[in-house]
Amino acid sequence: MDVVALRNGCLSCRYGWGVTLDPATSAKITGYRPQNAPPEWERICGHVRMLVAASADRSPYRVERLLTSATRLAVWCHRSGLPDDPEVWLRHETIDAFVLTGCTDLAPSSAQTYRSWLRHMRATLAWLERGEQAPPPMKAPKTVSPPYSPAQLGRLRGWAERLPCQARGDALALMALAFGCGLTCPTFSGHRSK
């Protein structure tokens, strides 16, 4: 860590870290050039290689996959008018916008895989540089829960209608919202049967 006292009395701090990769990984990164390289490649290639080199050592993903996803993100950002700046590229909102609008030619599962690779790259670099926590993974259950049965809905509605004034309206509104969102028995337990 470097700390410099400036003339105006302020301190300037810079935390630095280094990564040394094995020769095979290094050769893959320095020798990488995408097939049918876009015109932007020469402008962005240094940043792409730097991002992958800095995160490859801590990533469970193959270097080729990181290079492919980082290149595609960088080209999309450049064409979208965003700065050629890896810090901008790896913002959560940039990655999400890229997946939604820049990966429309991919299957949804492939686009989500790109998102995972890029988010992991961001989390690795953010942790190394600033100590930021990685965002929690977004997961959805693989199976769909069955909805409330008509009998369960009837019992809940009966309970809500027996509540006094404002509480009744609130409970009925909450039920309408919860059931409209598809919340089911395990996720919506706002009452206890008596």
Side-chain angles (χ1 to χ4, degrees):
M1 177 186 266
D2 298 314
V3 179
V4 178
L6 303 176
R7 289 183 187 168
N8 64 2
C10 296
L11 289 178
S12 175
C13 301
R14 181 170 180 86
Y15 179 76
W17 48 270
V19 175
T20 303
L21 300 172
D22 62 84
T25 303
S26 299
K28 286 178 187 176
I29 294 170
T30 56
Y32 177 77
R33 182 175 178 83
Q35 289 182 337
N36 304 318
E40 300 89 350
W41 175 245
E42 293 306 319
R43 183 175 182 135
I44 61 172
C45 67
H47 291 314
V48 169
R49 289 179 179 139
M50 181 271 303
L51 284 175
V52 174
S55 61
D57 192 42
R58 295 183 178 266
S59 178
Y61 307 118
R62 290 190 355 236
V63 171
E64 297 86 356
R65 292 180 173 173
L66 297 176
L67 285 163
T68 300
S69 60
T71 298
R72 191 166 173 152
L73 171 67
V75 168
W76 178 86
C77 287
H78 184 82
R79 291 179 180 173
S80 298
L82 293 172
D84 291 331
D85 178 357
E87 191 148 332
V88 173
W89 299 348
L90 291 179
R91 289 181 182 158
H92 294 299
E93 60 270 18
T94 304
I95 293 170
D96 290 345
F98 161 69
V99 168
L100 292 171
T101 63
C103 295
T104 55
D105 61 318
L106 299 176
S109 60
S110 296
Q112 286 302 315
T113 299
Y114 272 49
R115 181 180 185 269
S116 296
W117 293 342
L118 293 166
R119 288 256 179 154
H120 188 274
M121 185 182 298
R122 184 207 186 288
T124 298
L125 296 173
W127 180 82
L128 287 171
E129 189 167 321
R130 295 187 293 268
E132 288 183 14
Q133 293 293 328
M138 295 176 65
K139 293 183 180 179
K142 300 233 185 255
T143 57
V144 178
S145 299
Y148 278 103
S149 69
Q152 289 172 317
L153 289 174
R155 284 195 306 272
L156 283 170
R157 184 173 178 89
W159 164 80
E161 288 175 344
R162 288 190 302 273
L163 293 173
C165 305
Q166 182 65 40
R168 178 181 8 193
D170 291 346
L172 290 170
L174 181 60
M175 285 177 55
L177 290 170
F179 301 148
C181 291
L183 298 181
T184 59
C185 290
T187 57
F188 180 73
S189 57
H191 85 288
R192 294 180 186 266
S193 299
K194 292 185 179 183

